[in-house]
């Protein structure tokens, strides 16, 4: 199992590799945007999306679904929330420059977690609370609400 930071950095690297070429109409334009000499050095990864030939295998192996699948495996391996989950949330909180009271919805969706999962998975909730406390330096309590109930099942 890879560390979350390693996975995230590789995923971001691939996204950065793809972004400059995603609007390319042809290989020649993509080559210019990717900073290579010839259209022969790029390959169309998906319609209108080009990558360098040397990056093709890496891009094919680390797509969004692969990223989220690997996150799920990491979460499943962390039974108390103080390992992989903690590392993941610390990274994301710092990356988003989190301040106490900020909405966490974007952070959760960025790693493929529905807010309701925090209610169902104590390790996720524990890891998030520990990460927020670690990043902010302050003890934290969070309330996870659904449409009609809070984390404890009380009517909201």
């Amino acid at each position: 199992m890879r560390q979350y930071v390693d996975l995230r950095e590789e995923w971001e690297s691939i996204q950065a590799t793809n972004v400059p070429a995603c609007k390319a109409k042809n290989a020649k334009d993509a080559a210019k945007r990717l900073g290579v000499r010839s259209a022969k050095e790029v390959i169309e990864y998906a319609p209108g999306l080009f990558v360098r030939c040397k990056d093709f295998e890496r891009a094919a192996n680390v797509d969004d679904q692969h990223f989220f699948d690997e996150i799920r495996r990491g979460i499943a391996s962390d039974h108390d929330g103080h390992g992989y989950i903690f590392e993941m949330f610390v990274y994301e909180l710092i990356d988003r420059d989190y301040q106490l009271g900020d909405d966490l919805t974007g952070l959760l969706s960025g790693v493929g977690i529905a807010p309701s999962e925090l209610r169902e998975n104590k390790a996720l909730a524990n890891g998030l609370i520990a990460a927020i406390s670690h990043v902010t330096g302050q003890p934290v309590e969070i309330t996870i609400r659904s449409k009609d109930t809070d984390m404890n099942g009380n009517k909201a």
Side-chain angles (χ1 to χ4, degrees):
M1 177 69 48
R2 288 192 291 171
Q3 297 290 332
Y4 179 78
V5 173
D6 296 336
L7 171 65
R8 180 62 188 243
E9 286 175 356
E10 183 174 346
W11 183 73
E12 287 175 353
S13 170
I14 294 210
Q15 297 301 314
T17 299
N18 294 342
V19 169
C22 68
K23 294 183 182 176
K25 294 179 182 176
N26 56 48
K28 185 176 179 181
D29 184 37
K32 182 177 178 182
R33 290 174 184 237
L34 287 169
V36 294
R37 294 183 197 144
S38 162
K40 293 178 183 178
E41 294 180 60
V42 298
I43 188 166
E44 194 167 13
Y45 176 68
L49 178 65
F50 291 84
V51 296
R52 294 178 188 107
C53 290
K54 68 180 183 176
D55 295 331
F56 179 75
E57 186 173 334
R58 197 168 61 115
N61 289 330
V62 186
D63 60 14
D64 290 349
Q65 189 58 50
H66 177 78
F67 173 70
F68 288 122
D69 288 347
E70 196 156 339
I71 287 173
R72 287 288 173 193
R73 285 191 298 275
I75 289 170
S77 73
D78 188 352
H79 301 290
D80 64 3
H82 296 291
Y84 186 91
I85 294 169
F86 174 78
E87 176 190 350
M88 173 183 71
F89 283 135
V90 166
Y91 181 94
E92 293 297 329
L93 290 165
I94 291 170
D95 189 51
R96 295 169 191 277
D97 205 16
Y98 177 80
Q99 301 295 313
L100 276 177
D102 287 355
D103 183 30
L104 294 168
T105 306
L107 180 142
L108 294 172
S109 66
V111 293
I113 297 171
S116 62
E117 288 182 74
L118 292 172
R119 221 178 1 269
E120 299 161 6
N121 184 331
K122 287 204 179 269
L124 276 174
N126 290 341
L128 179 59
I129 290 167
I132 292 172
S133 294
H134 176 79
V135 168
T136 64
Q138 299 178 23
V140 174
E141 286 185 32
I142 61 172
T143 302
I144 303 158
R145 299 179 189 269
S146 67
K147 292 180 183 171
D148 358 285
T149 63
D150 65 18
M151 186 170 172
N152 302 316
N154 300 318
K155 293 260 182 194

